[in-house]
Amino acid sequence: KKMVDGLFEKGVKDYLSVDLWLEYCQHSIGGIGTKEGIVRAREIHEKAIIACGLHISKGALIWEAYREFESALLSMMTPTGSEELEKIYADQKKKVENLYKRQLRQPLLGMEDTFNEFKEFTKDATDGNVVSDYHKAKEKLKARQKFEKKLIGEEIPIENYQEYIDFEMKEKDPTRIQIIFERSITDHCLVSSLWSQYLTYLDSNLKISTVSLPVFERSIRNVPWSVEIWCDYLRSLERYEQPHSEVLSLFEQGLAAGFAQPAAYLELWLCFIDYLRRRTVWNKDITESMSALRTVFERANLHLAKCGGDPDFEVSKYCANLEADQFGVMENARKIWAEITAAHPFTATVWLEYIQLEKTFGDKKHLRKAYQRGLEKTHDDPEILVRSFTQFEREEGSLEAFEHCRKLCRIKMEKVGVSKSKGDAKKSEEEQSRHDKIEKKKEKDKDYRRDKRQQIAAEKRGDVKNTQNGKDNVFLKPSVPVSQPDKRSWYDTPELPEKGSKKVVAPPPGFPGKKSVAPPPGFNENMKRTIAPPPGFKEPLPKKQKSDDFDNLSEHQQRKLRTVFLSNLDFSVTDTEVNDIMRSSGVVLEVRLVKKPNGQSKGFAFVEFEKHSEALEAMKRDNELLGLRPMYISECDPEKKAPVFKFDKGLEKNKLFIKGLDPEVTRQDLTEVFEKFGKLIDVRLVTYRNGHSKGLAFVDYEEEVGAATALIKTDNMKIKSKEIQVALSNPPKRKDDAPNQSDVRSLGGTEATEFGPRGKGRSQVAFTPRSISVPAKPPSKLEPMKFVKPGVPGLQSEGNEGNGTKPSKSNEDFRKMLLK
């Protein structure tokens, strides 16, 4: 029974359910055989009245169950006898009467029946106050009936509840506001905005911990993805002075909630840091709480760096301000801001924030350095820094410092003016091109309409006939004029052959001409004869474009060679970010980020450099991370239909293949492990398109000795949590690399079986006895490529044929095949 009671308690705390409260009340009546059972049942009925006694549509059921319980106790008593029995009977009757009076004060459906029952119970001896309360309750019910009608049905829209909530908010009755909120979240428990509205009301109006905190606990179980509710819950625990361990436990639960947006983790960390900052004891000497706060800042930076939740370094800026203000260590603050400005060197607002920190807590020396560095780096809005720098030197600087400031600002603004003029010229050029296209389209449409009108007019005049050879609606094909032989008159001058041309002499009569020899069986003159390269053969690298050849190209071809194609970009990447990261390869003339009509990026872009060599240098940065995704950099070739595999497909003794890597292993970790055994050319970590590691990598050495040493030393080595497997790079042969049968057929090759125009019939049956038939060999699975040394012609054994090579045939063999 205790377990059942516990289940009932859990159920009624989660959601407002009148039916569940009725079941709980009926369950409690089973123990009324004892005084303790009666007290327990009465307590449960009182809880039910408090929880849902104001439910307008179903609350009357709880009141009736409570009255029936008290009436049953009254019926078991005798009104006559001793004075004690009469007193007990009168007290019980008074309880039933008070239940009637309490119910009649509430606006509930079916109030008229309850009032009539009350008059029968009291034998029309009703009190005037009860009648007055009854009429007041009827007026309240009348004002709410239109809202109750909208809440009838299985699926009730949240808008109907919102209208009801707004009405109760104007009435300002806390109990009724709680009831309507509870009813709404019962039907819409996954709407986070509804929970937030309810919790905001409880925290701002009631401010009772025993009421607010249980609702917060229910909300994070229903909408754990809402970071606003997690942060409000943390602040409520602090407001109601709950233990620090409880706040810390709730924060850890929030980190494990699995938010969809990385920015949610930033908001949760900032809320928790605010809480720790308010409870930190500040002193000149580092206290335990100050040390704990620094530790939390470090942990927040590490976590947010992994999930990418703090691109603007909000936590780092917060930490720098506290280091300068509360801790009093300006050097730590400058180190933090050095990392921030290195990540966002071209943004003026970032430099202004750092400058403001130096103005408040730093000195003039570092402040001038910050101004100069910011003025040199900023590209987006340098005018702000120019005005601020000039004003600072007016207020604090000497004449020489002011003149130096003006010089730097003038140089910067000249560069900005040139850049803006180029941008304006480009915009005007694009606008003119767009205008020309529109005009061209208008002219084309105009010509089309004119031709259409002429055609319709011609059809009306009957100029166009739609009959041919007596058949209607047949298109008349224009006749081609027959060329007539050239007839010359006696006075025409004969044409002389041009100088240097060969004189064509007609053959004599009866000359048979050249004999045509029939080609051998299986010969196809339209097919190129291809010879498979020997094992280990490497394609020669394409020759580099010479500068002379590049200069001789047209402007369009030069621009194409100066442009690189970037793909696999994150949809949130902007033109400025692409410009910033590609600027290290050379001077970027233009960044064309391809976007959808709604302005969202498609994930690829074109970057044009000033020189061809800069574009070649940029293509060496293929698979470099931009944000959390690798960007693929290739040449700009719109006619290329499929990607080209740019790595060797054969055995490479100076390259190692590693698999079984831990997903947390980075390129730097592999470099530190493998550079001990020889000089590295490249370390390539294979990733998915989203930047996550596949657990594979390639390590390329300059010499084969280094690769062999690393193979022996590192195979089965444990890096982080997993053991890796190392082997020489020898990719398996791809199916699409196998030669096509139709491409390699030659003289004496096997001819394909033809089944006639209808193909192979289903009724074809083999007449070979099963006892002597040989089952078909199943197709061999794809096996890893094996390095085979090229053999000497004529010395091949039969076993060599299994390695993919066949004995060569001589001219005598071919002659015998033709004579068969």
Side-chain angles (χ1 to χ4, degrees):
K1 185 178 179 181
K2 289 183 179 179
M3 293 179 64
V4 175
D5 290 344
L7 289 175
F8 271 119
E9 288 291 338
K10 289 182 179 179
V12 297
K13 286 179 180 178
D14 266 352
Y15 300 104
L16 178 64
S17 174
V18 176
D19 298 333
L20 186 60
W21 273 111
L22 284 174
E23 290 289 336
Y24 194 13
C25 293
Q26 293 294 331
H27 172 73
S28 65
I29 295 176
I32 61 174
T34 61
K35 290 184 178 180
E36 293 80 5
I38 294 174
V39 173
R40 173 66 177 165
R42 190 170 284 134
E43 289 177 355
I44 293 173
H45 279 86
E46 285 292 339
K47 288 182 180 180
I49 291 296
I50 295 171
C52 50
L54 301 181
H55 196 298
I56 291 180
S57 58
K58 296 182 179 180
L61 299 175
I62 298 295
W63 289 100
E64 290 173 3
Y66 197 2
R67 286 203 319 272
E68 289 177 0
F69 165 68
E70 296 292 352
S71 299
L73 294 178
L74 181 64
S75 63
M76 291 188 295
M77 300 177 182
T78 54
T80 57
S82 61
E83 292 182 2
E84 185 178 356
L85 292 176
E86 290 179 358
K87 184 180 180 181
I88 294 173
Y89 182 82
D91 292 341
Q92 185 62 28
K93 185 177 180 182
K94 190 68 174 177
K95 289 179 181 179
V96 176
E97 184 177 349
N98 289 335
L99 281 176
Y100 273 113
K101 292 179 180 180
R102 289 170 61 189
Q103 181 179 356
L104 291 174
R105 295 192 189 102
Q106 311 303 329
L108 304 172
L109 294 180
M111 292 184 64
E112 296 81 0
D113 297 337
T114 305
F115 186 67
N116 294 330
E117 291 178 8
F118 176 64
K119 289 194 293 184
E120 291 179 2
F121 181 78
T122 58
K123 298 178 181 179
D124 293 333
T126 56
D127 188 1
N129 294 331
V130 176
V131 176
S132 176
D133 293 339
Y134 167 68
H135 288 296
K136 290 180 181 178
K138 284 193 69 176
E139 291 296 326
K140 292 181 180 179
L141 177 62
K142 186 178 180 181
R144 290 167 174 79
Q145 278 182 341
K146 61 179 181 179
F147 299 108
E148 290 291 337
K149 289 179 181 179
K150 294 181 180 180
L151 302 184
I152 298 174
E154 295 182 358
E155 296 183 1
I156 305 168
I158 192 173
E159 291 79 12
N160 297 352
Y161 278 112
Q162 193 61 50
E163 292 178 5
Y164 207 165
I165 290 171
D166 295 340
F167 171 79
E168 293 293 356
M169 285 287 194
K170 293 178 182 178
E171 296 295 320
K172 298 181 180 180
D173 188 346
T175 54
R176 296 199 177 280
I177 293 174
Q178 282 185 264
I179 284 291
I180 190 58
F181 267 121
E182 290 290 343
R183 292 173 65 182
S184 61
I185 61 177
T186 300
D187 288 344
H188 300 279
C189 60
L190 301 180
V191 181
S192 58
S193 58
L194 196 59
W195 282 101
S196 296
Q197 187 180 4
Y198 185 21
L199 293 167
T200 302
Y201 170 76
L202 294 178
D203 264 355
S204 59
N205 293 79
L206 297 185
K207 299 179 181 180
I208 303 174
S209 61
T210 55
V211 176
S212 297
L213 296 182
V215 179
F216 271 111
E217 185 180 356
R218 291 159 53 199
S219 65
I220 61 173
R221 285 192 281 110
N222 285 274
V223 285
W225 55 83
S226 176
V227 68
E228 291 82 6
I229 293 179
W230 285 97
C231 294
D232 291 341
Y233 196 0
L234 287 171
R235 296 186 189 101
S236 295
L237 291 177
E238 182 183 4
R239 183 183 300 112
Y240 300 126
E241 299 179 354
Q242 299 300 309
H244 174 67
S245 58
E246 188 173 345
V247 179
L248 183 60
S249 175
L250 179 66
F251 171 68
E252 296 292 345
Q253 292 178 34
L255 289 181
F259 300 115
Q261 298 297 330
Y265 291 102
L266 172 62
E267 190 173 348
L268 186 64
W269 273 108
L270 289 175
C271 180
F272 183 63
I273 291 172
D274 292 343
Y275 160 73
L276 288 181
R277 196 266 307 163
R278 286 188 287 265
R279 70 188 303 270
T280 299
V281 179
W282 301 104
N283 200 345
K284 292 183 179 180
D285 298 329
I286 301 299
T287 61
E288 184 179 353
S289 58
M290 293 169 67
S291 178
L293 183 60
R294 277 179 171 170
T295 304
V296 169
F297 271 116
E298 294 177 2
R299 184 184 169 195
N301 283 323
L302 289 175
H303 181 264
L304 293 173
K306 287 183 179 180
C307 67
D310 192 9
D312 296 328
F313 295 89
E314 295 295 331
V315 174
S316 298
K317 294 175 184 178
Y318 194 172
C319 182
N321 291 339
L322 289 181
E323 287 286 352
D325 184 13
Q326 301 292 346
F327 289 91
V329 186
M330 191 60 190
E331 288 301 322
N332 292 348
R334 291 191 181 105
K335 290 178 182 179
I336 295 171
W337 269 104
E339 297 178 0
I340 298 173
T341 53
H344 298 283
F346 311 114
T347 308
T349 54
V350 174
W351 286 101
L352 283 177
E353 290 183 55
Y354 175 41
I355 288 167
Q356 186 61 40
L357 182 73
E358 284 287 354
K359 278 185 179 180
T360 308
F361 304 105
D363 51 41
K364 294 179 183 179
K365 176 183 175 182
H366 289 88
L367 182 57
R368 281 195 176 90
K369 286 184 178 180
Y371 270 123
Q372 293 175 5
R373 288 176 58 202
L375 195 63
E376 178 186 354
K377 296 286 186 180
T378 302
H379 292 301
D380 58 344
D381 196 4
E383 292 85 355
I384 302 176
L385 276 178
V386 168
R387 290 194 297 267
S388 180
F389 193 11
T390 306
Q391 186 64 30
F392 165 71
E393 292 296 352
R394 278 199 178 101
E395 296 173 357
E396 304 289 342
S398 61
L399 178 60
E400 290 79 6
F402 181 74
E403 290 295 333
H404 184 63
C405 168
R406 288 186 61 191
K407 179 181 177 181
L408 294 177
C409 294
R410 184 174 61 255
I411 294 173
K412 183 64 178 180
M413 294 311 297
E414 287 176 358
K415 292 181 179 179
V416 172
V418 172
S419 177
K420 285 187 176 180
S421 61
K422 287 183 179 179
D424 295 340
K426 181 183 173 183
K427 287 182 181 178
S428 62
E429 184 180 343
E430 291 178 353
E431 187 67 27
Q432 183 64 33
S433 176
R434 192 180 303 110
H435 178 72
D436 293 343
K437 287 182 180 179
I438 294 173
E439 291 298 327
K440 188 176 180 180
K441 188 176 184 302
K442 287 181 179 179
E443 189 67 26
K444 188 176 179 180
D445 294 343
K446 184 178 178 181
D447 294 342
Y448 173 77
R449 289 194 297 270
R450 185 181 63 250
D451 295 341
K452 191 69 175 178
R453 287 196 302 270
Q454 292 177 358
Q455 182 181 357
I456 294 173
E459 289 177 357
K460 289 182 179 179
R461 291 195 305 267
D463 293 342
V464 180
K465 298 180 180 180
N466 294 328
T467 61
Q468 182 179 3
N469 298 330
K471 296 182 180 180
D472 295 339
N473 299 327
V474 179
F475 174 72
L476 293 176
K477 183 177 180 182
S479 60
V480 181
V482 181
S483 61
Q484 298 294 334
D486 189 11
K487 297 180 179 179
R488 299 180 183 274
S489 59
W490 61 273
Y491 54 82
D492 288 339
T493 304
E495 295 182 358
L496 297 176
E498 297 180 0
K499 187 177 181 180
S501 64
K502 292 184 179 181
K503 185 177 181 180
V504 180
V505 181
F511 182 74
K514 295 182 179 180
K515 291 183 180 181
S516 60
V517 182
F523 177 74
N524 188 352
E525 62 180 359
N526 297 324
M527 189 180 302
K528 291 184 178 180
R529 183 177 179 184
T530 58
I531 302 176
F537 175 76
K538 295 184 179 180
E539 290 287 343
L541 297 175
K543 295 183 179 179
K544 295 184 178 180
Q545 185 77 29
K546 295 182 180 180
S547 59
D548 297 340
D549 298 340
F550 179 82
D551 296 335
N552 295 331
L553 297 176
S554 63
E555 176 63 26
H556 174 71
Q557 291 174 333
Q558 289 184 5
R559 187 178 182 185
K560 180 179 176 182
L561 292 175
R562 292 198 309 265
T563 305
V564 296
F565 176 65
L566 274 62
S567 59
N568 197 43
L569 301 176
D570 194 275
F571 294 133
S572 61
V573 171
T574 61
D575 298 4
T576 307
E577 293 175 350
V578 176
N579 192 355
D580 295 344
I581 194 170
M582 299 306 294
R583 190 183 297 272
S584 59
S585 297
V587 179
V588 178
L589 297 181
E590 184 184 14
V591 175
R592 300 190 296 276
L593 186 64
V594 183
K595 299 180 180 179
K596 299 178 182 177
N598 60 0
Q600 185 183 8
S601 171
K602 287 188 177 181
F604 58 91
F606 299 87
V607 180
E608 182 181 355
F609 289 89
E610 187 178 15
K611 299 179 182 178
H612 180 218
S613 59
E614 296 171 350
L616 295 176
E617 190 67 26
M619 284 190 284
K620 296 179 182 178
R621 300 168 59 189
D622 188 28
N623 279 310
E624 184 174 323
L625 289 180
L626 176 55
L628 298 177
R629 295 172 67 92
M631 58 177 178
Y632 301 151
I633 308 176
S634 59
E635 60 182 359
C636 178
D637 188 7
E639 298 177 359
K640 185 169 64 176
K641 300 299 182 183
V644 179
F645 190 77
K646 56 186 178 182
F647 300 102
D648 200 337
K649 302 178 183 179
L651 175 67
E652 295 180 88
K653 295 185 179 181
N654 64 326
K655 183 183 288 188
L656 298 179
F657 169 67
I658 301 103
K659 69 175 182 178
L661 291 170
D662 190 279
E664 300 294 328
V665 173
T666 62
R667 184 174 181 273
Q668 183 63 30
D669 297 335
L670 291 176
T671 304
E672 293 175 358
V673 172
F674 286 92
E675 67 182 358
K676 305 172 184 177
F677 309 106
K679 191 171 182 181
L680 299 178
I681 297 176
D682 186 27
V683 176
R684 181 164 60 93
L685 188 66
V686 184
T687 61
Y688 294 100
R689 297 183 70 89
N690 60 2
H692 295 174
S693 173
K694 288 186 177 182
L696 308 174
F698 292 90
V699 178
D700 197 358
Y701 284 87
E702 282 191 355
E703 299 179 356
E704 296 181 3
V705 177
T709 307
L711 173 62
I712 298 172
K713 297 288 186 180
T714 60
D715 192 24
N716 294 324
M717 175 187 287
K718 188 172 184 181
I719 300 180
K720 292 195 175 180
S721 62
K722 291 188 176 181
E723 290 185 357
I724 63 171
Q725 300 179 24
V726 185
L728 291 178
S729 176
N730 189 14
K733 191 172 182 180
R734 297 169 177 259
K735 291 184 179 179
D736 51 358
D737 293 339
N740 192 358
Q741 182 66 22
S742 61
D743 293 338
V744 298
R745 285 184 59 194
S746 60
L747 188 62
T750 305
E751 296 183 0
T753 305
E754 296 182 0
F755 297 100
R758 300 182 61 185
K760 183 177 180 180
R762 293 188 179 181
S763 61
Q764 291 184 359
V765 182
F767 291 97
T768 307
R770 295 181 181 178
S771 59
I772 63 174
S773 64
V774 180
K777 187 178 179 180
S780 60
K781 296 182 180 179
L782 183 66
E783 297 180 354
M785 180 184 292
K786 298 180 179 179
F787 180 77
V788 182
K789 296 182 179 179
V792 180
L795 296 179
Q796 299 284 353
S797 62
E798 294 180 358
N800 291 338
E801 295 182 5
N803 292 333
T805 60
K806 295 184 178 181
S808 59
K809 296 183 182 295
S810 63
N811 293 337
E812 184 65 19
D813 295 333
F814 284 106
R815 189 179 68 81
K816 290 179 181 180
M817 293 171 61
L818 289 173
L819 294 177
K820 285 183 180 180

